[in-house]
Structures are given as structure tokens and as C-alpha cells.
Amino acid sequence: MHRSLRVAAPALVLALLGAAAVAPPSAAQAPRRRHAAPKPITVTWLGHAAFLVTSPGGTQLLLDPFLRQNPSTPDSLKDTTRYHPAAILVTHSHFDHSADAKAIATASGAKVVAAYDWAQTLGLPDTQVVGVNVGGTVRIGDVTIHAVPAMHGSVPDGRPMGFVLEFADGRTLYHTGDTWIFGDMALIQAMYHPGIILLCVGGGPFTENPRAAALAVRRYFRPKVIVPMHYATFPVLATAADVRAAFRGDRRLRVMVPGETRQF
Ligand SMILES: [Zn+2]
């Protein structure tokens, strides 16, 4: 045996013993680590396109507040002084999306995230106005908000949009606003992979109907959850039965009732 190896051998044995003593237990012996369930995204449908969304970190966002005159909003939820969100998000200026935004912002001090051109006409303090446009990103609390296109109108000011909410845990929620199916939805999927879609389905004279909305999801998205909205509020819009028929067999569909809260 080589001299240097003979000298080194006892140390080598000790080192091996030591290594064995601190070796990690086998997989069978290892204590099972419980994966904590992710904190939920909480969604309350207030009727039509209005939702209250609370992030896993507790940031509350109110989307498209049309409440006091909204025939589908439960009476208990029409009182605008009950809302204290971090921000109010308005997809476009039409009354059925924006009617109570200013009143709630004034009463609560909440910021308003909306098309720049429209938001600055509200007469709110500058500190409460968060003007955006398509492609823009702003952050409210622990939520990153991406403004994306919608194919609709927005008179008198600004342009129609949808919003993708990106949460701190990487999950995403897409409120489509009012829209028709359009090819750039493929880019919204490619960039943000929305896991929850609050989907305009109402049809009638103004937006995509349930069949077009179902096609939009099949062709462009891969959500885990689809919450239909903007239907049954007025007689010209699709009914819940129309929506269920268009999405028949799609287990991702979650038909909520106004006032209902679900966690995802
Ligand atoms: Zn609308």
C-alpha cells in the first residue's frame, strides 16, 4: 500500500462513518411534509359584470360597480357605503359597468383603475385616479393588473378593456369586460394563462352570446374555472339556461347566483 494512503485510511473511515451518521433518512423514513393549501382567491358576484375579488394576500378589488340600479344585485349589496376596496376597476364607461364607481370611490377613498381618458373626467383627487390603457400594467396591493383589449365601445371617453389580475402566487384571473370573440385572445392566453375567467356571455344586441363565448374559451384559453357574467340582467340578454346549454358538459363552468361568494 502506498504510504500516504495508509496514513490517510483511518481518517477516511472516520469520515465515511460520520457521513453515514448524518445521512438523510430514506424517503420511506422521512416525515411527510404537508403542502399548505394555497390561500384562496375569493370571488363574489354582485350581478351583471360586477365582482368583488379578494386576493390570497387580502387585497380587495371591486370590478365594474353597477349596483344601485342593477336589477340582479341583491338589495343587501346595493348599499355603496359597504364597500371599502383598495381599488375599483372599470372596464369601460357604459353605465352598466361604471355607474357607482365615483360614489364608492368618494365614500371609501378607493383608487379607480380605468381608461385614462375616462378616469380623469370623474373629478376625483389625482391620488385616486389610476389611468391605464391597453398593454398597461399597474399594481394595487399584492395584485398586478394588466389592461388587455376588449372588442366593444366606450363612449363618451376612453376605450373598452378587460383586466387580467395576476396574484402573488402566480395565479391569474381574467375579467373580459364586454366583448366579442377576437383573435388577440390567443395573446392574452400566451402572456397570462388565465386560470379563472369571468366571461361575458350575455349576447343580445351588444356582446358575444353564450355560443361565441364558449367557442372563445375552447379556441383560445385553458382555464380551470369559467364564471359566466353579463347575462339575465335584462330581458334582451341570454338566460342561465342558454349559458348552460352552450357550455354543456364543460365541468369548468361555475354558474354563480348574484350575491354568491366562491373561493378558488
Ligand atoms: Zn355591458
Side-chain angles (χ1 to χ4, degrees):
M1 190 179 280
H2 191 276
R3 182 183 158 83
S4 64
L5 190 57
R6 209 167 45 227
V7 169
L12 184 64
V13 169
L14 282 174
L16 285 171
L17 285 171
V22 298
S26 70
Q29 295 168 317
R32 274 198 195 155
R33 248 190 215 166
R34 281 202 193 141
H35 286 285
K39 287 189 179 171
I41 299 163
T42 304
V43 176
T44 301
W45 190 29
L46 301 171
H48 205 53
F51 288 87
L52 200 56
V53 175
T54 306
S55 77
T59 300
Q60 201 170 65
L61 303 172
L62 178 63
L63 293 98
D64 280 2
F66 164 51
L67 305 170
R68 287 178 291 190
Q69 303 299 318
N70 184 340
S72 64
T73 301
D75 286 345
S76 62
L77 298 174
K78 286 180 190 285
D79 176 7
T80 53
T81 64
R82 64 177 287 137
Y83 299 98
H84 298 88
I88 302 161
L89 281 56
V90 180
T91 58
H92 62 294
S93 64
H94 292 164
F95 78 98
D96 62 320
H97 298 259
S98 68
D100 296 308
K102 183 172 180 182
I104 297 171
T106 301
S108 67
K111 296 176 187 294
V112 175
V113 179
Y116 174 83
D117 316 75
W118 178 77
Q120 66 177 353
T121 69
L122 291 175
L124 292 168
D126 288 348
T127 52
Q128 281 182 258
V129 175
V130 183
V132 296
N133 210 327
V134 167
T137 291
V138 295
R139 191 171 173 87
I140 299 288
D142 65 344
V143 184
T144 303
I145 300 167
H146 304 280
V148 297
M151 190 174 284
H152 194 64
S154 188
V155 173
D157 296 294
R159 59 154 296 153
M161 290 181 286
F163 291 115
V164 176
L165 312 185
E166 184 179 344
F167 302 103
D169 62 9
R171 290 189 288 166
T172 46
L173 175 151
Y174 169 35
H175 185 298
T176 64
D178 280 5
T179 194
W180 159 249
I181 180 175
F182 58 97
D184 277 3
M185 285 176 168
L187 298 176
I188 296 173
Q189 168 66 21
M191 294 178 74
Y192 305 119
H193 311 281
I196 302 168
I197 301 183
L198 311 181
L199 181 68
C200 173
V201 301
F206 303 121
T207 72
E208 64 186 2
N209 63 24
R211 288 181 58 204
L215 176 63
V217 172
R218 278 203 311 275
R219 178 158 299 192
Y220 295 120
F221 296 107
R222 289 193 196 133
K224 292 195 165 106
V225 170
I226 305 159
V227 177
M229 63 156 173
H230 206 275
Y231 67 94
T233 321
F234 304 106
V236 294
L237 300 181
T239 65
D242 298 332
V243 175
R244 287 183 197 280
F247 285 86
R248 192 174 45 195
D250 192 327
R251 301 165 72 101
R252 300 168 299 177
L253 187 73
R254 305 282 193 281
V255 177
M256 295 175 68
V257 294
E260 182 182 354
T261 296
R262 295 206 190 186
Q263 295 190 316
F264 303 108

